[in-house]
Amino acid sequence: MQPFNFFLHSSLLVLVLFMSTKADNQVKQIKHAGSKTIIVDQSGHGDFTKIQNAIDFIPSNNQVWTLVRVKAGTYNEQVNIPRDKPRILLQGESSRSTIIQFGYGGDSIKSSTFSLFAEDFVAMDITFKNTYNLEPGKPTTWAPAALINADKASFYRCGFVSVQDTLTDSRGRHYFENCYIEGAVDFIWGNGRSMYQGCMINVTVSGGQAGYITAQARETAADNSGFVFKNCSIFGTGPAYLGRAYRPYARVLFHGTKMSDVIVPEGWSAWNYVGKENTIVYAEVDCEGPGADKYKRVSWEKNLSPEDLRYLLNPDTFINQEAWIQRQPKA
């Protein structure tokens, strides 16, 4: 994505309020036959003090689930899970108290605080944060909090915090439930095939220039990728578009979502594909709130057929083939 220069007003208070749920009050107990557990604790009372050291310790191509339990704390490190480390469950004590952060910007891939390349992954109760654009005087540029470049990844009660390109939803099937996502520019972007269920989306634009929540990158009509947001909530400082087309067949659906007045009346931007909007699939169904008023929406926003709507809204048809979500360990 291209850099977009304006300064972020941090919304840590909103993050704290949202993440303060009953799920945060206890460490989740994960039970899975044959599983292993590794403890990461900054105080030295676990197996490792660094998360990356715990990941490196896991054998390549392991056949059983490994629980990496991360004790509360702020872990200042980049974490990379390579392709040969599948079946990892990364769990913090809560998304308020367990934070992985790093301050690296300028590259939409290499700058990511957390990078996932291995299939079959679960994260719970943890926040991924890139502090680069949050530092005073730093120009806004690519600074992902997380890069998800693998199939069958799910995230429960997690936080993703940055300004530009916060969540690189790059490739594969992904499920996000009750997560918090904060940013200003293209902060949910990529060619993932993903469902966001009950997530909080905080738009932290400042300076008057509009931001963009999504920048989906579907390449062709046969490409099965897309972002589906179900029963989510959008709020913040705004103003912002729901999305701009990063590729010519970009596909995004908001369903049953509460939208504050941070959403601009037009709703969507064709960006580099002005005049080719017929291939872009942007839709809103049963949304509410002042930002959901479609009276001044772009004329090329799509009205999905009942068949297309059922396909996109049903996890089993859109992302959950082989029932991989049910087979993963969870709280």
Side-chain angles (χ1 to χ4, degrees), residues 186-236:
D186 305 331
F187 62 98
I188 305 172
W189 77 285
N191 196 36
R193 183 178 175 186
S194 303
M195 182 167 287
Y196 295 80
Q197 175 75 45
C199 294
M200 304 286 282
I201 299 169
N202 185 9
V203 182
T204 55
V205 175
S206 65
Q209 195 167 12
Y212 303 89
I213 295 174
T214 68
Q216 212 277 328
R218 185 167 171 248
E219 296 275 5
T220 68
D223 186 341
N224 56 19
S225 74
F227 299 158
V228 174
F229 297 86
K230 292 178 63 179
N231 303 318
C232 295
S233 180
I234 301 172
F235 57 95

Side-chain angles (χ1 to χ4, degrees), residues 131-182:
T131 63
Y132 183 84
N133 289 327
L134 302 174
E135 299 170 10
K138 289 286 183 68
T140 300
T141 186
W142 309 289
L147 162 66
I148 315 303
N149 194 44
D151 195 31
K152 296 184 289 187
S154 54
F155 298 82
Y156 300 88
R157 303 175 300 277
C158 289
F160 303 87
V161 178
S162 186
V163 181
Q164 181 167 332
D165 297 359
T166 301
L167 176 52
T168 304
D169 191 341
S170 179
R171 181 192 63 83
R173 294 170 294 173
H174 311 142
Y175 179 69
F176 301 84
E177 183 177 296
N178 295 331
C179 291
Y180 171 92
I181 309 166
E182 176 184 309

Side-chain angles (χ1 to χ4, degrees), residues 250-320:
R251 179 165 62 176
V252 180
L253 167 64
F254 284 91
H255 182 272
T257 291
K258 295 179 180 179
M259 301 180 183
S260 76
D261 60 3
V262 301
I263 303 303
V264 300
E266 300 86 351
W268 307 93
S269 169
W271 200 23
N272 292 327
Y273 300 99
V274 173
K276 302 178 181 178
E277 294 90 347
N278 61 308
T279 65
I280 300 171
V281 182
Y282 284 158
E284 303 165 66
V285 178
D286 295 338
C287 295
E288 60 184 41
D293 186 350
K294 298 172 68 174
Y295 177 69
K296 294 184 179 180
R297 286 294 193 260
V298 293
S299 61
W300 44 269
E301 183 180 49
K302 300 300 186 292
N303 292 313
L304 297 176
S305 69
E307 293 77 17
D308 287 341
L309 194 59
R310 282 194 295 269
Y311 168 78
L312 291 170
L313 292 176
N314 185 345
D316 292 338
T317 55
F318 183 49
I319 62 169
N320 194 35

Side-chain angles (χ1 to χ4, degrees), residues 8-17 134 161 180 182-183 202-205 235-237:
L8 167 71
H9 285 298
S10 178
S11 300
L12 294 180
L13 178 60
V14 176
L15 172 61
V16 169
L17 291 174
L134 302 174
V161 178
Y180 171 92
E182 176 184 309
N202 185 9
V203 182
T204 55
V205 175
F235 57 95
T237 57

